[in-house]
Amino acid sequence: MPFLNKGISTIMKRPETGHIDPAPAPQRGFDRRTFLKAAGFTFAGTVLTGCENGAVEKAIPFLVRPEEVTPGTPTWYASTCGGCSAGCGILVKNRDGRPIKIEGNPSHPISKGGLCATGQAMVLSLYDSHRLREPGISGKVAAWDAVDGLVAAKLAESRSAGKSVRILTGSGAGPTTRSAIDAVIAAFPGARQVVYEPLSVAALADAHELCYGRRFVPHYRFDRAFVIASFNADFLGTWISPVEFTADYRAGRSPEDPSRPMSYHVQFESRMSLTGSNADRRVVVRPDRMREMLGGLAHCVALETGSDAGPFPPPVADGEKEILVTLARQLAAAGAKGLVVCGVNDLSCQVFAASINAMLDNRGVTVDLDRPATSRTENDRETGALLAELDAGTVGVLVLDGVNPVYDHPAGEAFAAAMKKAGLTVAFAQHDDETSRHATIVLPKAHPLEEWDDAEPVAGVVSVRQPVIAPFGNSRSLAECLFAWTGERIGAREAIRRVWKSGIFPGQRAQTEFAGFWDTTVHQGFTTIDPTPSGHRVFDATALSRLPAPDAGEQPGFVLELYPTVALLDGRHAHNPWLQELPDPVTKVVWDNYAVLSPVTAARLGVGEGDEVRIVAGGAVLELPVVLQPGQHDEMVSVALGYGRKGTDRFTSIGPEWFESVATVEPGETVGRNAAPMLIIRGGHVSTWRFGVSVTPTGAVRTIAATQIHHSLHVPEHLAPKNAERRPIIQETSLAAYAQSPEAGRFETHEIVSMWPDEHNFTKHRWFMSIDLTACTGCSACVVGCQAENNIPVVGKDEVYRNREMTWLRIDRYYTEEKDGLSVAHQPMMCQHCAHAPCETVCPVLATVHSEEGLNQQVYNRCVGTRYCSNNCPYKVRRFNWFDYPRGDDMARLVLNPDVVVRERGIMEKCSLCVQRIQEGKIAAKEEGRPLRDGEIRTACEQSCPAQAIVFGDLNDPASRIAASRKNPRFYRVLEEIGVEPAVGYMTLVRNRPEEGGRNG
């Protein structure tokens, strides 16, 4: 396949755009032109700035236009995401040689059309000018021939000296990379691959090896589950394959599906996770008691199913016993439709969970053991053994591919010291990171959008990754290098074709010729084959007798839990400012990590929000600001991983242009603090929790930037009207009430008296949107999708602190105290495109007007920045450009969507319902001489949603999905009683609570 940008040189110079450079130095003086800009007179500013910038823009046309390229028309390529090891299928939008948008591949069996926030933000990482470009030896740029010669010599030297060769990779290596590693193992006896993953699930694979005689991670099918019990597994946020699990979870959560009951979900966890916030019932348990809870549940399930309950410890605490007995009864009733998952990286916990699934006999239904998740093959014990080998000096050559153990391994400092004892250390890295600085040879690792590669996320599903732009750096893949170092010169594409021809092609049945099979696979991005039969395996009950003894017991002090965020994961995305500024779905904090405490614990310590505390765990010390989190265990402190990365100090100076900063940090200080040194090895596995942690106030106060500061729908007593308890924002009900009446949970309706002379008459199209709150998980994928599509700038921590974030779409999260715990609701909120829009009536220059198709339009070149519209908006969804927000260097500007204008200082902006996509769809239909098809136009937020919670379409089409949603009894509009007639509506949130009479498995 030819590279898309072959023969193209049409890079537009736009000095006013870009992304991540610090703001200009504060200006203390004002000339007339600057004053007009500051005052918001952008019409005058536009005239005056014509002579202010003399930059020359050049567009060089094709001499001979490639057949597959039409300037101005996007081309889409199917590929595989590299944001994590899940291997989701993606579609990459390439515009005039530039990838500018990533979306989920609707036909891919893993992603099913959705994509997470990190996957969509990956396009910005492509244009990071701080990525490594050239190979280097001992800190100096080197040619590939010199690298190959040095590595080959060291490999030969290691073989003759009897030293070992080790290749340390992350999870998710595809068939071709595995083939190249096998070539090294064959050429150098004793060589071995070690798979390392900071967010390890190694105990899950070890448990199944103990129980079934084969090491693997099962493929969980949440779409088939009627009852789900999750123990600290954030499967909707960060655990194994969250996009796939979200789509499957949503498939079983429809209250209107007559073919199956709505699934019932119980979450056991110590902190409020994204998954826990969506559970029907949430049980707060310290992580050190998960073994006891799982053993107790196994005991109860054994009694319910008639199995041997003897090996399992019975539940002890009375309140917890009642919960476990009830849940065991529900799981036993569901049988094969029941599912237990565990996110604790502990062998005993995972064996107990596997034993419960075995007692439910759910193999091949909700737990697929024959098509395991082949992307997760990490092994914590082998990583520990590698560290011992390095320390002993027995490793001749160490190759590290995209991993950063010096930063994210519990023994990071020891790893750095041990690397120096290897004969030669070769590191593939995208940035000059904590590990690569200790390597002799540092090789630039290509971005996933620049390289040929493959993946096998689940046995039988094989994906191809193809480049959509020529590499910015002089890079080679790991497979290319390994083949070269074993004496074979072969390109990545040719290597993949060879491996697929011999290993993948024979396993499929759709094509008879390899050429056709290859072209079809590259076009659709994946293929499915018959996996190698695993053989009949029966659960080995003797595994229970081979478990290690439980820990000696708790120690005085706090229990610390470390966790990944949906944005940064283990820190691999810390260099992406879109993700740094993405509000955490639970805490809503940006640009920092922090110490999470419950309100009760914070009061006991005498600290409040933003007060700094010192956390001491073993020999590691962290000083972090406090964030109060309802639903947190009172004996816990939680800290996010993935912060404190080397090189993120370049973001800490992003701030306002003319004001002294109140939220920036000291120069050179990284974004957040690295909490990985507080991880611990327990039972051979990396554990994210530990006993005996001290938390003490330091007396200092740190600024926290959060996008939401009000968290409850309850109305304060002194403001509450008569009989009003909740603000009418989120409409919710129980499944039992919904079964009795589809209109359950509806707000009280009001007679609307309008001052408008008549109704709008939308004769052509009437664009409308509906959001199902039962389906929405709050994952924030839509937020980044909107940002990428609409050129929304990053403003920095200081501006967010001043409530000046620019995101067009936000997700509001509300808490409700209930008798059995805390209930959470997520609600996406964007411009509601009101038919009787309050913003339109107050604009003095008609900058905000209504279109004939029902869109509330913002005319940028009319706006003078009075902000009357923002003050008059009841939904608070309009954004004001206080500054020409810095957008970075020339390279970062390449991510901008040319179909959407870049807004300047002094004007308002807000959601347009992706009007550029509407126009594109209308033009395509007109050119083909046909009417628009329902679902043909999809907004960026709708397309990105893994749960398919958003429906957009033409309300004037009676056969459309949006017309059906509008007629659904669950449909309502926020603040409908004020008569503004929003074009965005919501579907009532339905919770399944069997204790209230709801149905389940």
Side-chain angles (χ1 to χ4, degrees), residues 963-978:
S965 295
R966 181 68 179 86
K967 296 175 183 178
N968 192 303
R970 287 201 292 138
F971 181 87
Y972 76 99
R973 293 187 284 191
V974 174
L975 301 182
E976 191 168 18
E977 65 274 13
I978 65 178

Side-chain angles (χ1 to χ4, degrees), residues 810-957:
R810 70 175 190 264
I811 298 183
D812 295 333
R813 181 264 305 116
Y814 298 105
Y815 300 126
T816 303
E817 292 282 353
E818 297 180 342
K819 60 181 180 180
D820 59 346
L822 189 70
S823 180
V824 185
H826 302 275
Q827 183 180 57
M829 181 62 63
M830 69 288 286
C831 175
Q832 302 288 289
H833 292 269
C834 309
H836 298 162
C839 57
E840 296 176 15
T841 59
V842 295
C843 182
V845 292
L846 292 179
T848 176
V849 295
H850 222 74
S851 78
E852 61 180 2
E853 297 181 354
L855 298 180
N856 177 255
Q857 297 178 323
Q858 183 71 28
V859 186
Y860 298 132
N861 60 357
R862 290 183 188 169
C863 181
V864 296
T866 63
R867 290 178 285 147
Y868 295 161
C869 56
S870 180
N871 293 335
N872 219 36
C873 174
Y875 305 97
K876 300 307 172 190
V877 289
R878 304 178 72 85
R879 302 291 185 238
F880 181 67
N881 282 267
W882 290 90
F883 305 99
D884 284 326
Y885 290 104
R887 292 176 181 268
D889 52 30
D890 288 344
M891 191 170 179
R893 296 176 192 141
L894 296 177
V895 78
L896 296 174
N897 183 358
D899 293 329
V900 180
V901 67
V902 175
R903 283 74 61 186
E904 62 181 3
R905 178 182 185 185
I907 62 174
M908 299 297 304
E909 60 179 82
K910 52 91 189 178
C911 165
S912 67
L913 286 181
C914 291
V915 65
Q916 68 278 5
R917 293 190 173 207
I918 294 175
Q919 294 302 110
E920 183 181 2
K922 288 162 60 177
I923 291 171
K926 182 178 180 180
E927 288 179 346
E928 296 174 16
R930 57 169 178 81
L932 276 170
R933 293 186 288 263
D934 182 43
E936 182 177 3
I937 299 173
R938 306 188 70 192
T939 60
C941 56
E942 176 192 21
Q943 198 286 326
S944 65
C945 181
Q948 299 181 14
I950 303 175
V951 175
F952 174 78
D954 183 5
L955 197 61
N956 287 347
D957 179 3

Side-chain angles (χ1 to χ4, degrees), residues 401-423:
D401 180 43
V403 294
N404 193 4
V406 173
Y407 164 78
D408 49 35
H409 192 270
E413 292 185 2
F415 215 105
M419 285 175 61
K420 299 176 182 178
K421 299 179 182 179

Side-chain angles (χ1 to χ4, degrees), residues 109-130:
I110 300 298
S111 59
K112 301 179 179 66
L115 200 61
C116 66
T118 57
Q120 292 178 86
M122 204 170 56
V123 69
L124 180 63
S125 300
L126 171 68
Y127 300 114
D128 184 355
S129 62
H130 289 244

Side-chain angles (χ1 to χ4, degrees), residues 54-71:
V56 177
E57 297 185 356
K58 296 181 179 180
I60 304 174
F62 289 114
L63 186 61
V64 178
R65 182 176 67 85
E67 182 180 355
E68 72 277 7
V69 175
T70 301

